[in-house]
Amino acid sequence: MGDPLLCARAQEVADVPSPALAALITDMRDTMAALFGAGLAAPQIGVPLRVVIFGAPTMPRYPDAGEVPETVLVNPVIEVLDTDEDEAWEGCLSVPGMRGLVPRYRRIRYRGSDAEGRPIEREAEGFHARVVQHECDHLDGILYPMRIRDLKFFGYESVLFPEGVAHKGPASTDPS
Ligand code: NI
């Protein structure tokens, strides 16, 4: 947080598939796995392109998060299906050590393509919808603290959850 690249709009990927895109996705996967994230956006590793990844076979930091399919999403577009919002705790690998209570739309549809250019279109709700909204926000220069309605609910993870993030309850999430 503080890097101008994280506050800028990322550019569409023009060439799908490509060796450069494949290499970027390998870097993103390695980074996400090393930091135990549930998702990552390309600008978070310094690449201003519209690429996000999310989901994992196991997400040890998010035992209550439910199922999120392991996905590479290039040039994503989100359509809101339900304007009702839920608030839940989020963290971000670009805002280490912090958590905030963030409103997100409950139900969305997202479209894009995978790394090979095959179209993806899915409906998502709950944590799945939250992760996608969090990651796609990164592509528009938005970090989750900008979405917090009441900054009383933004703070250090170690203070908010002294027993550890695994005990923060089923409504809580930590996208990236
Ligand atoms: Ni993030």
Side-chain angles (χ1 to χ4, degrees), residues 39-41 44 91-95 134-135 138 142-144 175-176:
L40 193 76
Q44 293 184 272
C92 180
L93 300 178
S94 299
V95 191
H134 177 115
E135 298 314 329
H138 278 296
I142 299 167
L143 297 173
Y144 82 82
S176 78

Side-chain angles (χ1 to χ4, degrees), residues 29-100:
R29 282 201 172 116
D30 290 349
T31 303
M32 188 176 100
L35 299 173
F36 302 106
L40 193 76
Q44 293 184 272
I45 59 164
V47 178
L49 290 173
R50 302 186 80 77
V51 180
V52 301
I53 64 172
F54 51 84
T58 57
M59 295 190 289
R61 285 177 69 197
Y62 332 105
D64 304 311
E67 190 85 358
V68 180
E70 196 173 358
T71 303
V72 171
L73 198 57
V74 179
N75 298 331
V77 175
I78 290 178
E79 178 188 347
V80 177
L81 298 179
D82 181 349
T83 54
D84 285 351
E85 295 173 325
D86 289 323
E87 288 201 314
W89 293 98
E90 292 186 14
C92 180
L93 300 178
S94 299
V95 191
M98 309 292 287
R99 298 279 165 141

